[in-house]
Amino acid sequence: YDVRSGEMVGFLNREESQEELATHVLCFYIVGLNSDLSMCIGFFPTHNASASDIYSKLWNAIGLLEKVCGLKVLLFKLLIL
């Protein structure tokens, strides 16, 4: 993200589309309800994310948070900007 121009700058990180520019970013950001925990846990540049892409990445992130980190996910909010 270029702060001065407000535009996304960069390429997708997929083998089949090395020349395609990313226009959006799918970011998973966690915030603690009873703590000061606040951090980005996943950052995926994309041109067009399908519902199935978002679904699989979301449940993978929730699984990692609960199984590996020992956190309990109570809710999630999806913002598309």
Side-chain angles (χ1 to χ4, degrees):
Y1 179 74
D2 185 356
V3 178
R4 293 184 182 132
S5 69
E7 296 179 351
M8 294 295 303
V9 179
F11 293 94
L12 297 180
N13 191 15
R14 285 192 270 164
E15 295 174 8
E16 67 271 6
S17 60
Q18 290 294 327
E19 299 300 320
E20 191 174 5
L21 283 174
T23 57
H24 296 81
V25 172
L26 175 61
C27 176
F28 292 106
Y29 195 87
I30 61 171
V31 177
L33 296 177
N34 296 324
S35 69
D36 292 335
L37 178 65
S38 177
M39 67 187 321
C40 176
I41 62 166
F43 188 83
F44 305 96
T46 183
H47 179 68
N48 55 355
S50 68
S52 62
D53 289 339
I54 296 171
Y55 181 85
S56 64
K57 286 181 176 32
L58 172 69
W59 285 107
N60 187 26
I62 291 173
L64 289 171
L65 287 171
E66 291 189 343
K67 293 177 185 170
V68 176
C69 300
L71 299 173
K72 179 68 177 161
V73 176
L74 298 177
L75 68 102
F76 67 88
K77 183 176 183 180
L78 178 63
L79 297 175
I80 301 173
L81 304 173

